[in-house]
Amino acid sequence: METSAVSGASEAHLPLVAVLATGGTIAGVQASATASSYVAGSISVAQLMASVPQLAGLARLRTEQVANVGSQNMTHAVWQALAARVQMLDADDDVQGVVVTHGTDTLEETAFFLALTAPACKPLVLVGAMRPATALSADGPANLYAAVALARHGMARERGPLVIMNGDIHTARDVQKVAASGINAFASPNGGRIGVMVGVDPLFHGPAQPMPHRYPLEALGPVEQWPRVAVVYAHADLQADVVDALAALYDGLVLAGVGDGNATDAAIDALKRAAAKGVAVVRASRTGSGYVGRGAEIDDGEAGFVAAGELSAQKARILLMLALTQTRDPARLQAIFDSR
Ligand code: SIN
């Protein structure tokens, strides 16, 4: 991690917001302002902050470069470092709130991991951009401005990690990247956004409902020892060999199933064999919204499966990985997935 800096120190009356940068398109650079290709995670957090001078009117900023990657390359090791920093900043009396800048591709996964592992009584806001920093009409500066405004706001406390994109505020549990392009790429298909920014203030549609902080970072140990969980993506004519191969390598499998978490008979039979050998199996849906409940089409009790409820496959993977540090029992895993 690179050294941190405080800007706007002369404005001592302003709240102090910590910015943890991890890369992404928000820090991406193109060859020209109109080029369609770019490299994510190119500029430093200092350059990113300097590109939005209006931030100086909102807060004093303490910046740290935790990583500088395209978020397709986000790792459990970076998550661990990030969660540790969030935890420390949450305990730092000088800090009013924390912003994490992040690539949009796996932003929702990092937000969900932090929700489960790092207590955030203070505002914790994740933000990205769909257009690189050098684009003709970059969305990063406005998103970053909104993120800092939200992170310094008392109304954002006790809500767990929030994601702000394009003026909309989402919870870590519900938010998803739902489009590969365009600036309106984030939504919460099941729960809906929980608020919007009105100028520099958030307008929340309901009271805070923080997720329980269930997996203390200290108890997880080194990342190399974290349980390994893979996602199996269902499609027409999915064969058993894909499941068999993964079941031999992983502690847990999440099915990104068709419809309500289903797959071909061959794949379901292979998943049953895996479960019988002690591999944890969670059924989620590849559809992007809706609820995968127990027993609708598959007898989960008999198969030893767990139903993911409203969690996407990518978030079910994270919850299963963490839950497997505590239990392998399907009934207890189901109880974990059922608790919000
Ligand atoms: C990334 O996720 O790092 C690249 C895409 C983006 O940030 O929009």
Side-chain angles (χ1 to χ4, degrees):
M1 193 184 307
E2 285 178 20
T3 51
S4 61
V6 177
S7 67
S10 59
E11 307 292 341
H13 63 285
L14 291 175
L16 178 63
V17 171
V19 180
L20 305 177
T22 69
T25 294
I26 195 168
V29 167
Q30 307 152 287
S32 82
T34 53
S36 57
S37 62
Y38 66 96
V39 181
S42 298
I43 63 170
S44 69
V45 63
Q47 291 169 295
L48 189 59
M49 296 301 120
S51 71
V52 194
Q54 297 85 349
L55 291 172
L58 282 180
R60 291 173 294 133
L61 302 174
R62 184 196 287 171
T63 61
E64 295 175 32
Q65 192 82 52
V66 177
N68 207 357
V69 296
S71 76
Q72 69 280 5
N73 283 319
M74 187 49 62
T75 63
H76 294 166
V78 173
W79 281 356
Q80 188 184 44
L82 194 57
R85 281 308 291 149
V86 165
Q87 216 158 268
M88 288 182 78
L89 291 166
D90 204 60
D92 183 338
D93 289 340
D94 293 337
V95 174
Q96 175 80 15
V98 179
V99 169
V100 176
T101 64
H102 200 289
T104 59
D105 288 347
T106 60
L107 190 151
E108 70 209 54
E109 295 178 50
T110 298
F112 190 57
F113 178 82
L114 291 176
L116 293 169
T117 59
C121 302
K122 292 178 184 166
L124 171 60
V125 182
L126 287 91
V127 67
M130 290 297 290
R131 295 178 181 152
T134 51
L136 203 53
S137 184
D139 53 333
N143 285 347
L144 191 55
Y145 188 80
V148 172
L150 183 58
R152 67 176 200 150
H153 211 287
M155 290 285 289
R157 288 179 63 88
E158 309 282 354
R159 291 180 184 268
L162 299 172
V163 170
I164 184 150
M165 288 290 291
N166 208 27
D168 291 337
I169 306 168
H170 302 272
T171 64
R173 186 178 181 95
D174 284 341
V175 70
Q176 279 183 48
K177 184 172 183 177
V178 293
S181 60
I183 58 171
N184 199 16
F186 279 75
S188 293
N190 284 320
R193 68 184 182 189
I194 59 158
V196 291
M197 290 304 283
V198 181
V200 293
D201 295 316
L203 174 65
F204 285 107
H205 303 316
Q209 286 182 317
M211 283 175 56
H213 158 233
R214 283 180 281 184
Y215 302 96
L217 208 52
E218 311 74 50
L220 294 180
V223 284
E224 302 75 35
Q225 287 168 22
W226 292 4
R228 298 187 69 222
V229 178
V231 174
V232 181
Y233 197 93
H235 51 78
D237 204 38
L238 176 61
Q239 301 294 312
D241 54 3
V242 176
V243 177
D244 289 336
L246 290 171
L249 296 171
Y250 286 84
D251 304 300
L253 297 178
V254 173
L255 175 66
V258 295
D260 63 354
N262 215 336
T264 56
D265 289 349
I268 293 295
D269 285 344
L271 288 168
K272 285 180 183 170
R273 285 197 296 277
K277 285 187 193 146
V279 177
V281 176
V282 174
R283 294 189 306 107
S285 173
R286 68 175 196 176
T287 59
S289 65
Y291 188 84
V292 174
R294 280 183 80 75
E297 291 186 86
I298 291 168
D299 186 340
D300 292 294
E302 186 252 347
F305 294 166
V306 173
E310 287 186 341
L311 282 187
S312 65
Q314 57 271 31
K315 287 184 187 165
R317 185 193 78 84
I318 296 166
L319 181 54
L320 181 58
M321 174 177 78
L322 296 173
L324 282 172
T325 63
Q326 297 185 351
T327 182
R328 284 183 166 263
D329 175 48
R332 287 186 60 200
L333 289 171
Q334 186 65 66
I336 287 171
F337 271 79
D338 288 346
S339 65
R340 279 192 68 98

